[in-house]
Amino acid sequence: MNIKKKVNIVGGGVIGLSVAWELSRRGHAVTLIERNADQSIAPVEQPTSWTAGGILPPANFELATDPMERFRGFSHQLWPQWAEQLHQQSEIDPGFVRCGGYYLAETAGEAAAMIGMVSYWDEMGIVCEAVSPDNLRTKQPWLGSWADQNPWIQEHPDAAAWWVPDEYQVRPPRLLQALVAACQKNGVQFRHGDSVSHLSDVTRESEDEPIIVCGGTWAGLVDVDLNLENALIPIRGQILLLRCESMNNPIVVNLGNRYLIARGDGHVLVGSCEEEVGFDRSTTDDEIDTLRQFAGRLNPELTDAPEIQRWAGLRPMTFDGFPMIGRVPNRHSVFVAAGHYRSGIHFAPATAVAIADGIENQPTFMDMTPFSVGRQQAHAQ
């Protein structure tokens, strides 16, 4: 029988909120400490989760052997029911859609890389189909210009496209709002505007009361005694939000590390870049112009489409690419859930389950050793 506990969570992004919701659903008394004053502040001050695109690429837990892909697969299979339960409890639609995604290649090298990915997906039982220009034009009229009318295609004779039906998208701002509402309904206590510089700042009745550090890029700065200050590298990503009425169906289009996300209501996200600039969350005209040019190559209408907003977020990257999920060595009651890089939204349900199982000293869905916190501490020393 699990003993219900008082649990403290540091960080109110998607990971912290998801862990709080999972623990509260299991009957634990949760306090979430968030340095931002509230959830309605300006985007530049929002947690990184707010700034994410919200793409959930396909994965298969049952057939994957790589630990990261197994973790992704478990979270991917949780997402549909998890999103529905969240919608029901919060009464806020997080914008989860099984919209499918197109994967494009401009060059022979990109096409070869995609052929390798298609082969891997086939082994994983993930459907991925080559798409002809005619099918593109039929299924996505705006994307049809990419394959037929846009002179860009003439400059890229090796261009190719694939369709992956099991790609999801979610709208991160709505997701955060839904998680906050669901947590509040479950009795989670919020302490807004508190900055934790040491775990002693967290009020606890005893040292056995668990603390979970979920501060994203800032998790390594919460307490120097955790020896994680050099374990996370902030990687800036910039995003451009445009308005384009012709893109009125939800869809994801991927080209390398860049993407278009059509929300289905005329809003189109264009992203993203990877920049090591420390904790600078500002946007730059040069990168936004590059994103605009990228969007215009795929759909000429986006070249002059009205700009709704631009923003940047900081992805928390670890040295080996694996997030830190679990108990801190030699600190029985301290856990970390951070370092998810570009997959924080996607990994949120599985992370919540894994942390909650750890708090309850229960076996979880897979071996979490590859995600151990200790490996990061060893690297940081």
Side-chain angles (χ1 to χ4, degrees):
M1 179 178 179
N2 294 324
I3 299 174
K4 303 309 176 185
K5 302 177 180 179
K6 293 184 178 180
V7 182
N8 302 276
I9 298 174
V10 180
V14 69
I15 298 297
L17 287 166
S18 298
V19 172
W21 187 45
E22 178 68 22
L23 286 168
S24 67
R25 291 201 290 174
R26 298 189 187 196
H28 299 283
V30 180
T31 298
L32 189 146
I33 304 167
E34 168 55 41
R35 62 192 175 91
N36 293 325
D38 56 53
Q39 290 294 320
S40 61
I41 54 180
V44 72
E45 301 174 14
Q46 290 277 8
T48 294
S49 309
W50 188 97
T51 66
I55 301 173
L56 312 179
N60 189 324
F61 174 66
E62 299 299 333
L63 296 180
T65 56
D66 175 79
M68 183 77 86
E69 288 306 305
R70 291 202 75 214
F71 193 84
R72 184 187 307 278
F74 186 78
S75 210
H76 195 74
Q77 72 181 25
L78 289 180
W79 252 103
Q81 185 178 14
W82 193 78
E84 178 60 28
Q85 291 171 343
L86 181 62
H87 188 181
Q88 291 177 355
Q89 184 165 19
S90 68
E91 299 181 349
I92 297 173
D93 181 3
F96 173 81
V97 181
R98 185 179 184 266
C99 60
Y102 289 100
Y103 284 76
L104 310 183
E106 290 183 325
T107 66
E110 289 174 346
M114 269 304 303
I115 290 171
M117 178 61 74
V118 170
S119 176
Y120 172 76
W121 277 338
D122 184 61
E123 293 177 3
M124 293 298 101
I126 296 168
V127 176
C128 180
E129 304 169 346
V131 180
S132 69
D134 285 341
N135 283 338
L136 276 176
R137 184 168 52 249
T138 299
K139 295 180 179 180
Q140 299 292 332
W142 65 268
L143 195 56
S145 63
W146 171 84
D148 186 47
Q149 302 166 13
N150 191 335
W152 171 79
I153 190 64
Q154 301 174 13
E155 300 173 7
H156 300 84
D158 296 307
W162 292 263
W163 165 247
V164 179
D166 199 36
E167 185 145 296
Y168 309 149
Q169 65 165 282
V170 67
R171 302 181 78 152
R174 295 185 185 179
L175 173 64
L176 290 178
Q177 293 170 359
L179 282 166
V180 169
C183 284
Q184 289 173 334
K185 288 187 176 181
N186 278 4
V188 173
Q189 299 297 309
F190 285 81
R191 284 173 49 190
H192 291 298
D194 285 358
S195 181
V196 177
S197 58
H198 195 277
L199 294 186
S200 60
D201 296 336
V202 179
T203 302
R204 294 188 290 172
E205 294 180 358
S206 74
E207 292 188 358
D208 291 329
E209 193 172 305
I211 299 176
I212 309 164
V213 179
C214 303
T217 305
W218 290 268
L221 307 179
V222 167
D223 190 332
V224 295
D225 291 342
L226 297 180
N227 197 26
L228 296 175
E229 64 269 24
N230 296 317
L232 290 164
I233 304 169
I235 304 295
R236 184 171 69 185
Q238 300 186 42
I239 289 183
L240 177 64
L241 178 63
L242 302 175
R243 183 78 184 176
C244 182
E245 298 297 339
S246 67
M247 298 177 66
N248 53 13
N249 292 313
I251 197 67
V252 177
V253 180
N254 303 276
L255 177 54
N257 286 331
R258 291 189 170 171
Y259 54 79
L260 301 181
I261 309 173
R263 295 303 194 195
D265 59 1
H267 289 91
V268 182
L269 267 70
V270 187
S272 182
C273 61
E274 298 176 345
E275 305 170 286
E276 289 192 43
V277 292
F279 288 87
D280 182 359
R281 289 182 288 174
S282 62
T283 59
T284 63
D285 290 340
D286 286 347
E287 187 58 41
I288 293 298
D289 288 345
T290 299
L291 293 177
R292 170 77 77 164
Q293 293 169 17
F294 162 74
R297 292 208 317 270
L298 298 184
N299 182 358
E301 290 186 48
L302 295 177
T303 301
D304 299 313
E307 177 180 328
I308 305 300
Q309 200 169 357
R310 61 176 69 181
W311 62 80
L314 299 176
R315 309 180 187 96
M317 184 178 74
T318 62
F319 288 98
D320 60 6
F322 280 64
M324 300 179 287
I325 304 171
R327 195 187 309 270
V328 176
N330 304 316
R331 301 289 294 270
H332 174 73
S333 62
V334 180
F335 295 75
V336 173
H340 296 74
Y341 192 39
R342 296 181 71 125
S343 299
I345 300 287
H346 203 181
F347 286 0
T351 300
V353 171
I355 288 291
D357 288 343
I359 292 289
E360 296 179 344
N361 295 311
Q362 298 293 322
T364 196
F365 53 89
M366 64 176 283
D367 178 14
M368 295 298 294
T369 303
F371 306 92
S372 64
V373 182
R375 78 188 197 286
Q376 297 292 341
Q377 289 179 309
H379 192 106
Q381 290 175 345

